[in-house]
Amino acid sequence: MKFIRNLLTSVIMISAAALLGNWIGGQMRYLVTGKKVQSLSFVHTTAAHGTVRNIPVATKFFPALLIGLLGEPHTLLAFLGGVWTGGLVPDAWEAAWLERVLEPALFGSAKDRQASK
């Protein structure tokens, strides 16, 4: 039971550190560039399906988690990875991810939609 509790605590702390790092990195990017950055949730309008919301921002959150798994202490590395990805990864990458990977996976490709009509 203690193992499960420690595992869940670690997962929550590492995830929270990555999200906090993403937010801080986004704020730093905003201060440097002056452009609005979507660090925690991403809202994108596609031509086929309208507005799509992605929480958390996959192109910033999951790389931060992977960086956190590279060594010890995991929480600190996830936080630093979050700052790094939140500050350096542009929002255009998330839009491309949504349009090219998630939208076809969730709603089918354009060819599939044309065939069903």
Side-chain angles (χ1 to χ4, degrees), residues 39-71:
S39 298
L40 299 178
S41 69
F42 187 79
V43 179
H44 179 66
T45 304
T46 63
H49 295 87
T51 302
V52 178
R53 178 174 294 241
N54 189 18
I55 301 173
V57 180
T59 56
K60 297 177 184 176
F61 177 68
F62 293 116
L65 285 181
L66 290 176
I67 291 169
L69 294 176
L70 290 177

Side-chain angles (χ1 to χ4, degrees), residues 44-50 52 95-110 113:
H44 179 66
T45 304
T46 63
H49 295 87
V52 178
W97 164 259
L98 285 173
E99 290 177 358
R100 295 185 183 135
V101 177
L102 288 183
E103 187 176 0
L106 296 175
F107 303 112
S109 66
R113 288 191 301 271

Side-chain angles (χ1 to χ4, degrees), residues 109-117:
S109 66
K111 291 178 185 177
D112 293 341
R113 288 191 301 271
Q114 291 296 332
S116 66
K117 289 183 180 181

Side-chain angles (χ1 to χ4, degrees), residues 11-21 61 65 79:
V11 168
I12 291 169
M13 291 298 293
I14 293 168
S15 299
L19 287 172
L20 179 64
F61 177 68
L65 285 181
F79 173 75

